[in-house]
């Protein structure tokens, strides 16, 4: 059984067919439509599509003017690009531990990591659960820090009823095939600030001060651009956006289906005392459950790995939740990091298991995962 799968049907094929028939396949009207859909869904005045969430995070650091001598605080348990984006611009990634119950940044650890050189924090909404944004935003305001929301896993996620993505200064989304909706590869940046949107738009398009109208409308009048920034080519194509438009039509159904499966897992696994199940704070709603991640309570990495091997032998895919970035070679070697300084991130990396959750998963599929997991726990 697969860990995850995209939901494709004739609607994506028809949308791509329309794109190809138009003759406009690079960034153009379909990309703009896709951006408008994202902006509306997440209550964002501005949304700009990119080649990936990695590109989105890179663009966010560029737009904020981060660079050498600056520090950016990152959760110690996250995908590596949450940290890499700071390093891309010459800033230093500084790590803070996470809450092992939510897998998200611990606000107290965040504040303890602040120095006079700190300029920003990356608040990751890991696995689709919103980070503790009220205390994070309060701490950031107190210390005059920018807030980047890493919303790679969190399309459709809300925090106290408000869509994530504009709670901070910039939100960065992913449309990788393991996400709720996909464009194959793709990402986006959301923001409230027109000034930031102009910078992101420039940096994603070779440093141009503005797109010629012919790059927005295929038959629009031609105008000259100027190039005032050192930019990149990080634009989403209309072919990918065409897939994304069709995917957006399914978003609410996919979110509801995923949440239903996640709640069913929690009910089916409630009696498994060997597991710590995902939690949601009483006053925080809107977990999108991009992944359903459990922790093995006893036995550490060795037992967790034994459980995963046993499930693989039954043809059920699993994965660890994500990385303790503070253990990864680049950061260990550059900053001489010690794992013992981030005990919760290490615990999460060593004991998490991501269970299959995908569109059209059946009750029988889910029952098989639960039984196989229970058997594996007892034999490990």
């Amino acid at each position: 059984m697969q860990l995850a799968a995209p939901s494709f049907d004739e609607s994506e094929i028809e949308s791509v067919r329309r794109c190809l028939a138009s003759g406009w396949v690079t960034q153009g009207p379909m990309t703009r439509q896709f951006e408008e859909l994202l902006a509306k869904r997440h209550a964002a005045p501005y949304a700009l599509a990119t080649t990936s969430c990695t590109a989105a995070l890179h663009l966010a650091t560029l737009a904020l003017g981060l660079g050498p001598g600056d520090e950016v605080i990152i959760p110690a348990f996250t995908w590596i690009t949450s940290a890499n984006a700071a390093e891309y611009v010459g800033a230093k990634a500084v790590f803070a531990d996470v809450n092992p119950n939510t897998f998200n940044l611990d606000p107290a650890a965040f504040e303890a990591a602040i120095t006079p050189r700190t300029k920003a924090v990356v608040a990751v909404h890991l696995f689709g659960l919103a980070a503790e944004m009220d205390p994070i935003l309060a701490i950031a305001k107190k210390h005059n820090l920018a807030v980047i929301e890493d919303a790679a896993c969190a399309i459709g996620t809300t925090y106290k009823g408000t869509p994530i993505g504009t709670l901070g200064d910039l939100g960065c989304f992913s449309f990788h095939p393991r996400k709720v909706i996909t464009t194959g590869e793709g990402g986006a940046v959301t923001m409230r600030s027109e000034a930031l949107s102009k910078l992101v738009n420039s940096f994603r398009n070779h440093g141009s001060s503005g797109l010629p109208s012919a790059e927005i409308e295929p038959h629009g009048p031609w105008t000259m651009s100027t190039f005032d920034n050192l930019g990149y080519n990080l634009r989403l194509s209309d072919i990918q956006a065409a897939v994304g438009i069709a995917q957006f039509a399914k978003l609410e159904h996919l979110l509801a289906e995923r949440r239903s499966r996640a709640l069913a897992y929690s009910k089916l696994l409630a009696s498994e005392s060997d597991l710590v199940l995902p939690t949601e704070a009483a006053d925080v709603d809107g977990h999108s459950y991009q992944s359903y991640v459990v922790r093995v309570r006893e036995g550490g990495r060795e037992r967790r790995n034994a459980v995963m091997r046993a499930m693989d032998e039954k043809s059920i895919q699993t994965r660890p939740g994500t990385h303790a970035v503070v253990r990864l070679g680049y950061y260990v070697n550059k900053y001489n990091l010690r794992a013992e300084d981030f005990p919760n991130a290490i615990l999460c990396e060593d004991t998490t298991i991501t269970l299959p959750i995908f569109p059209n998963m059946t009750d029988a599929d889910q029952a098989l995962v639960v039984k196989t997991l229970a058997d594996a726990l007892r034999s490990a």
Side-chain angles (χ1 to χ4, degrees):
M1 185 186 307
Q2 72 268 43
L3 182 68
S7 174
F8 292 146
D9 55 31
E10 286 297 319
S11 62
E12 284 80 14
I13 295 171
E14 178 55 32
S15 189
V16 171
R17 184 180 290 116
R18 289 197 305 271
C19 175
L20 297 177
S22 76
W24 193 258
V25 294
T26 187
Q27 179 183 296
M30 280 195 155
T31 301
R32 185 172 60 181
Q33 182 182 348
F34 180 67
E35 291 169 341
E36 290 170 351
L37 289 167
L38 178 63
K40 181 178 180 181
R41 181 61 178 79
H42 279 266
Y46 304 97
L48 296 171
T50 64
T51 53
S52 66
C53 189
T54 300
L57 288 162
H58 185 190
L59 290 166
T61 60
L62 288 165
L64 291 171
L66 302 175
D70 296 335
E71 294 180 352
V72 181
I73 295 176
I74 316 290
F77 184 63
T78 185
W79 184 247
I80 191 170
T81 51
S82 304
N84 284 355
E87 299 282 319
Y88 292 158
V89 296
K92 178 182 179 181
V94 173
F95 297 95
D97 214 352
V98 299
N99 180 333
N101 295 317
T102 65
F103 305 119
N104 284 328
L105 182 64
D106 178 348
F110 159 39
E111 187 158 31
I114 294 170
T115 76
R117 293 178 295 279
T118 307
K119 295 295 188 293
V121 60
V122 177
V124 181
H125 306 303
L126 199 58
F127 309 135
L129 175 64
E132 295 179 62
M133 293 304 294
D134 281 351
I136 288 171
L137 291 169
I139 293 165
K141 183 177 181 180
K142 175 182 173 183
H143 295 276
N144 195 29
L145 306 179
V147 178
I148 299 170
E149 295 179 71
D150 183 339
C153 298
I155 190 167
T157 292
T158 58
Y159 177 77
K160 298 185 178 181
T162 300
I164 55 84
T166 55
L167 297 171
D169 295 283
L170 303 109
C172 300
F173 291 80
S174 172
F175 303 108
H176 179 274
R178 272 195 62 192
K179 303 307 187 284
V180 177
I181 64 170
T182 184
T183 57
E185 286 283 2
V189 186
T190 54
M191 58 233 113
R192 289 173 280 112
S193 163
E194 182 181 9
L196 285 176
S197 75
K198 288 180 177 179
L199 286 169
V200 170
N201 195 31
S202 174
F203 286 125
R204 74 167 175 171
N205 186 46
H206 305 285
S208 171
S209 60
L211 283 173
S213 57
E215 291 194 27
I216 300 173
E217 294 293 346
H219 306 296
W222 182 87
T223 58
M224 178 66 76
S225 284
T226 61
F227 295 84
D228 301 320
N229 297 304
L230 176 63
Y232 304 83
N233 183 3
L234 299 175
R235 299 170 299 174
L236 193 75
S237 75
D238 262 27
I239 297 174
Q240 292 166 292
V243 176
I245 290 166
Q247 288 274 286
F248 243 103
K250 305 174 184 178
L251 176 60
E252 302 309 323
H253 169 74
L254 292 172
L255 286 168
E257 182 182 36
R258 192 171 290 262
R259 183 170 181 82
S260 176
R261 284 295 162 199
L263 296 178
Y265 265 137
S266 294
K267 184 176 181 180
L268 292 166
L269 293 169
S271 63
E272 287 294 339
S273 59
D274 278 352
L275 294 177
V276 179
L277 304 182
T279 60
E280 295 182 61
D283 61 347
V284 178
D285 61 354
H287 196 323
S288 60
Y289 287 104
Q290 179 267 335
S291 294
Y292 188 88
V293 180
V294 300
R295 281 198 294 116
V296 177
R297 198 181 294 276
E298 302 290 343
R301 190 182 189 96
E302 184 176 347
R303 184 171 183 231
R304 188 280 308 274
N305 288 352
V307 170
M308 291 176 63
R309 284 194 297 270
M311 296 187 74
D312 185 62
E313 289 170 1
K314 298 294 185 180
S315 299
I316 296 176
Q317 288 186 339
T318 60
R319 295 286 187 276
T322 190
H323 294 290
V325 184
V326 293
R327 262 185 177 164
L328 302 180
Y330 172 84
Y331 291 100
V332 171
N333 295 333
K334 185 171 183 180
Y335 298 121
N336 195 30
L337 298 175
R338 302 184 309 167
E340 57 264 33
D341 292 334
F342 308 94
N344 293 336
I346 301 306
L347 175 71
C348 291
E349 181 181 73
D350 286 349
T351 62
T352 49
I353 302 175
T354 305
L355 301 182
I357 189 166
F358 51 86
N360 301 315
M361 188 179 200
T362 66
D363 291 346
D365 291 332
Q366 199 162 24
L368 178 60
V369 173
V370 169
K371 181 181 185 305
T372 306
L373 176 59
D375 291 344
L377 285 165
R378 280 184 269 280
S379 62

